């Protein structure tokens, strides 16, 4: 059914619900019954004046009959149908091609399905975030360990007091002091745990300094204008008093990040980079970061960091960035819509980021499809190398960077390979047949 069918279908459904005849509604709206019949059967498009007259006769706002009003709801119904279990499981499949008819004839049921679909999506995201936090957050693990340790100490001391009837007064008093001290420690640990769980991870009071830094950068749009200045400002003054940078450790990380970002900005000045980048992306061109790196005489890792922290500009997409150290732990995250980055621990082992880590100084490019509803495709460019390439003495610290670009922007010329299926992490990835799976998923099936 074409999208223009929405108005006619709604008019017919609302007229029938009010037990009005077609002739009666036509008379009330000032049109002929034959013309109204054509409108209701989607053979004629009603003009705005007639839509207003029919809406007045039905005692509803004219917007309720606008064929464009249901587009978002139709898309939501299709998304809900795409998310449903396959017909092989349920025995029947949703009639996706009749979503517009459902919206027109039963707007109340369509709105309810849309509401339930939205609520389900929100709950899934919450479950994924909390599961990732419960499984990988080091601060949470430490708090739970402290509580278990305090409970065990209190239990052991209480058992000695209960089972030993001939304890000397001095030892009995000592055990009483131990119980008191351990109970205070238990209370403090429990209070800290509750306070920690009450934080959402999206406001002041974040779980780790790195999260504070990334929250501050997100508030800045991941671009701090001060790094573009010829003379570096006082970074300590710039970072002090920031609500997101609540801890001294976060402010230290912010200063280090700003110093490195300023070096990148000097090597890739906006006045030169933006015209070259927009010319490359304009007209359906192929995004080639290696060409930019050669033109400006910088490393790919430095180019990736600069692209991920550019100010918003017309024709320039939002680049995502993930950086990890030699252990595979993510040390920096710049998210991009559709490509989720875990907050704690390692990520999907199939990311080109980790492939690059296994072959330093060799660039990796791959078309990836991120598990989601619906799946989203990206072009990922990755490179790994020594954090300090001029250092002879061990230990050598390795770092890998991965730039994530929407596939519609970064067209891979001549590449017809099947996209590589990736996810966030194993616990929240629905791909059950993944060869790199290391633990069962809590969202599959």
């Amino acid at each position: 059914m074409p999208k223009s069918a929405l108005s006619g279908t709604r008019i017919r459904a609302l007229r029938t619900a009010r037990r009005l005849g077609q002739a009666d509604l036509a008379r009330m709206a000032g049109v002929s019954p034959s013309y109204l019949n054509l409108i209701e059967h989607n053979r004629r498009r009603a003009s705005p004046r007639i839509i207003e007259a029919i809406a007045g006769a039905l005692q509803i706002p004219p917007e309720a009959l606008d064929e464009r009003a249901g587009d978002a709801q139709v898309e939501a119904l299709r998304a809900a149908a795409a998310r449903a279990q396959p017909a092989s499981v349920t025995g029947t499949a949703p009639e996706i091609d009749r979503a517009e008819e459902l919206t027109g004839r039963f707007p109340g049921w369509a709105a309810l399905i849309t509401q339930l679909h939205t609520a389900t999506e929100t709950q899934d995201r919450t479950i994924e975030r909390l599961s990732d936090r419960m499984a990988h957050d080091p601060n949470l693990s430490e708090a739970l360990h402290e509580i278990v340790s305090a409970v065990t100490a209190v239990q052991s001391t209480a058992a000695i007091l209960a089972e030993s009837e001939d304890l000397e007064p001095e030892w009995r008093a000592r055990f009483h002091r131990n119980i008191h001290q351990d109970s205070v420690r238990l209370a403090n640990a429990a209070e800290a745990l509750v306070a920690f769980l009450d934080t959402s991870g999206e406001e002041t009071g974040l779980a780790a300094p790195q999260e504070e830094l990334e929250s501050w950068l997100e508030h800045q749009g991941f671009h701090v204008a001060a790094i573009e200045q010829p003379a570096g400002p006082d970074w300590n003054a710039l970072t002090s008093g920031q609500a997101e940078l609540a801890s001294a450790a976060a402010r230290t990380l912010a200063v280090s990040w700003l110093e490195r970002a300023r070096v990148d900005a000097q090597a890739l000045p906006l006045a030169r980079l933006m015209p070259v980048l927009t010319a490359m992306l304009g007209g359906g061109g192929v995004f080639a970061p290696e060409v930019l790196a050669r033109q400006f005489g910088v490393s790919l890792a430095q180019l990736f960091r600069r692209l991920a922290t550019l100010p918003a500009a017309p024709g320039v997409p939002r680049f995502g960035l993930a950086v990890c150290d030699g252990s595979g732990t993510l040390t920096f995250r710049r998210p991009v819509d559709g490509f989720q980055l875990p907050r704690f621990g390692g990520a999907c082992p199939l990311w080109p980021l980790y492939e690059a880590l296994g072959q330093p100084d060799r660039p990796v490019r791959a078309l990836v499809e991120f598990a989601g509803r619906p799946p989203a495709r990206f072009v990922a460019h990755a490179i790994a190398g020594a954090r300090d390439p001029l250092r002879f003495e061990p230990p050598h610290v390795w770092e890998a960077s991965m730039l994530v670009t929407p596939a519609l922007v970064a067209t891979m010329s001549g590449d017809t390979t099947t996209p590589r299926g990736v996810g966030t992490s194993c616990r929240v990835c629905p791909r059950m047949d993944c060869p790199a799976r290391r633990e069962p998923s809590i969202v599959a099936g």
Side-chain angles (χ1 to χ4, degrees):
M1 182 180 294
K3 288 187 177 180
S4 60
L6 286 172
S7 293
T9 303
R10 285 176 180 166
I11 292 171
R12 185 171 67 254
L14 292 171
R15 176 182 60 80
T16 304
R18 286 162 173 74
R19 300 182 183 277
L20 282 174
Q22 200 172 68
D24 295 331
L25 179 59
R27 176 178 50 79
M28 296 167 64
V31 298
S32 66
S34 59
Y35 186 59
L36 178 60
N37 181 68
L38 293 175
I39 293 176
E40 287 190 353
H41 287 83
N42 308 302
R43 297 177 183 174
R44 290 290 186 276
R45 183 189 296 272
S47 67
R49 182 187 63 81
I50 294 178
I51 286 290
E52 186 174 352
I54 294 175
L58 294 173
Q59 298 182 349
I60 59 174
E63 294 80 10
L65 297 179
D66 187 355
E67 64 190 41
R68 295 168 298 178
D71 287 353
Q73 193 170 72
V74 168
E75 293 303 320
L77 288 174
R78 288 173 175 166
R83 187 182 187 278
Q85 295 284 357
S88 59
V89 177
T90 62
T92 57
E95 296 84 353
I96 298 180
D97 57 334
R98 303 186 68 180
E100 295 174 2
E101 181 180 355
L102 175 63
T103 302
R105 297 187 61 187
F106 306 103
W109 280 106
L112 177 61
I113 295 173
T114 301
Q115 180 182 0
L116 293 175
H117 170 66
T118 302
T120 302
E121 290 285 335
T122 302
Q123 291 173 357
D124 282 351
R125 288 192 295 269
T126 301
I127 291 173
E128 291 178 5
R129 177 171 57 84
L130 292 178
S131 174
D132 188 35
R133 187 171 189 174
M134 294 290 289
H136 301 107
D137 193 335
N139 296 328
L140 178 60
S141 177
E142 181 180 352
L144 292 174
H145 176 75
E146 178 70 10
I147 290 178
V148 172
S149 175
V151 169
T152 303
V154 170
Q155 183 182 22
S156 300
T157 306
I160 294 174
L161 289 173
E163 297 172 2
S164 304
E165 299 179 357
D166 55 347
L167 281 175
E168 297 181 1
E170 179 182 355
W171 281 99
R172 187 176 295 275
R174 182 177 298 179
F175 284 132
H176 285 158
R177 284 195 302 271
N178 289 345
I179 288 181
H180 173 70
Q181 293 171 356
D182 290 332
S183 63
V184 171
R185 183 161 63 99
L186 175 61
N188 292 336
E191 183 179 355
L193 177 61
V194 171
F196 174 76
L197 293 176
D198 281 342
T199 61
S200 65
E202 301 169 355
E203 55 188 20
T204 304
L206 298 171
Q210 181 184 339
E211 289 184 275
E212 296 182 46
L213 169 62
E214 292 171 1
S215 177
W216 178 65
L217 291 175
E218 184 176 4
H219 183 72
Q220 307 288 327
F222 281 89
H223 178 76
V224 181
I227 66 173
E228 311 293 344
Q229 299 177 6
D234 185 351
W235 301 126
N236 292 318
L238 181 64
T239 55
S240 63
Q242 300 294 321
E244 293 88 356
L245 302 175
S247 66
R251 291 190 291 272
T252 300
L253 287 179
V255 169
S256 299
W257 185 92
L258 289 167
E259 291 175 345
R260 194 179 194 185
R262 185 172 178 273
V263 173
D264 298 340
Q266 290 176 327
L268 295 152
L270 287 179
R272 292 180 54 203
L273 176 61
M274 297 302 282
V276 177
L277 182 61
T278 52
M280 176 180 287
L281 295 174
V286 177
F287 175 61
E290 67 275 17
V291 174
L292 293 174
R294 293 192 190 102
Q295 183 170 346
F296 287 89
V298 299
S299 67
L300 285 173
Q302 190 173 29
L303 176 67
F304 292 170
R305 293 194 300 268
R306 183 61 166 156
L307 292 178
T309 56
L310 289 177
V316 177
R318 177 177 176 176
F319 294 96
L321 178 66
V323 180
C324 75
D325 59 18
S327 70
T329 301
L330 295 179
T331 57
F332 184 78
R333 294 171 285 255
R334 167 71 194 273
V336 64
D337 292 340
F339 199 107
Q340 301 176 29
L341 303 175
R343 294 176 59 213
F344 308 106
C348 174
L350 296 183
W351 283 7
L353 176 74
Y354 299 121
E355 182 180 346
L357 196 61
Q359 45 188 14
D361 297 323
R362 180 179 177 182
V364 177
R365 181 180 65 181
L367 178 65
V368 299
E369 184 176 82
F370 201 94
R373 308 181 183 97
R377 291 187 177 183
F378 301 87
V379 176
H381 295 86
I383 188 70
R387 178 69 185 262
D388 184 0
L390 301 181
R391 180 188 178 94
F392 284 96
E393 299 80 10
H396 301 290
V397 180
W398 299 97
E399 183 179 73
S401 304
M402 180 177 68
L403 188 73
V404 180
T405 314
L408 294 178
V409 176
T411 305
M412 295 177 64
S413 178
D415 193 335
T416 58
T417 59
T418 302
R420 179 189 306 180
V422 300
T424 303
S425 62
C426 288
R427 284 184 62 82
V428 293
C429 179
R431 301 182 187 275
M432 295 302 296
D433 56 348
C434 176
R437 177 164 294 283
R438 57 179 177 258
E439 60 180 326
S441 173
I442 64 170
V443 298

